[in-house]
Amino acid sequence: MAMSERTRSKLHQGLRGMMDDDEEAIGEVLSHFPARDVEEPATKELIQTEVALLRVDIAQSESRLRGELGSVRSELKSDIARLDTSIAGLRTELKGDIAGLHNDIAGLRTEVKDEIHSALRWTIGTMLTLAALIFAALTVW
């Protein structure tokens, strides 16, 4: 319980005579007796109450944190699902592009093959014509 100013003043005067006017020592002794309610020493009950309030505050903070973590977890799952869908779409698109490239390559092979055959036929035809001309020239001489 807090000490009144009147009682504190009387105690100060009494200590002054006992402590040879040593103000520092008197101040130290009086510091153990609170002058106001705010300066009361902490009691076991006060500490237990404060600890209980802290536990409630911690539990509430933990609950809020769990809720936020749950929200983050849900958002991450949703984002991952969207990424999976996007990746699946890209895979399908790439497969289509690869199939298209295979078709293009097959078409190019056919064109190159046809061009080679055409050039080969022209070369053979030219060679046969040249051989016929040489044979005709030799028979005329």
Side-chain angles (χ1 to χ4, degrees):
M1 176 132 213
M3 185 183 298
S4 70
E5 281 299 316
R6 184 170 171 240
T7 305
R8 191 175 184 81
S9 178
K10 284 183 181 180
L11 186 58
H12 188 273
Q13 289 173 359
L15 289 173
R16 187 179 278 163
M18 291 172 47
M19 297 186 158
D20 299 323
D21 290 331
D22 186 353
E23 287 296 325
E24 187 176 335
I26 294 169
E28 285 181 29
V29 170
L30 288 177
S31 69
H32 294 286
F33 298 98
R36 299 176 294 154
D37 288 341
V38 175
E39 297 175 1
E40 283 189 31
T43 63
K44 183 177 180 181
E45 291 80 21
L46 177 65
I47 291 172
Q48 288 173 341
T49 302
E50 291 296 321
V51 167
L53 290 172
L54 281 173
R55 284 185 178 151
V56 168
D57 191 34
I58 289 170
Q60 289 172 345
S61 296
E62 182 181 350
S63 177
R64 281 192 306 269
L65 183 59
R66 285 183 192 274
E68 289 175 19
L69 285 175
S71 295
V72 169
R73 187 177 293 126
S74 295
E75 288 176 26
L76 283 174
K77 284 181 180 180
S78 176
D79 289 347
I80 289 170
R82 273 189 302 234
L83 283 173
D84 285 345
T85 302
S86 294
I87 289 170
L90 288 173
R91 280 185 181 145
T92 303
E93 190 177 324
L94 283 173
K95 284 180 182 178
D97 289 348
I98 289 171
L101 285 173
H102 283 291
N103 291 338
D104 290 348
I105 290 171
L108 287 173
R109 280 184 180 158
T110 303
E111 286 179 32
V112 168
K113 187 177 171 184
D114 290 345
E115 288 294 322
I116 289 173
H117 284 331
S118 175
L120 186 60
R121 274 187 241 122
W122 185 85
T123 303
I124 290 172
T126 304
M127 289 173 88
L128 286 174
T129 304
L130 187 58
L133 285 174
I134 292 173
F135 182 75
L138 286 176
T139 55
V140 172
W141 258 341

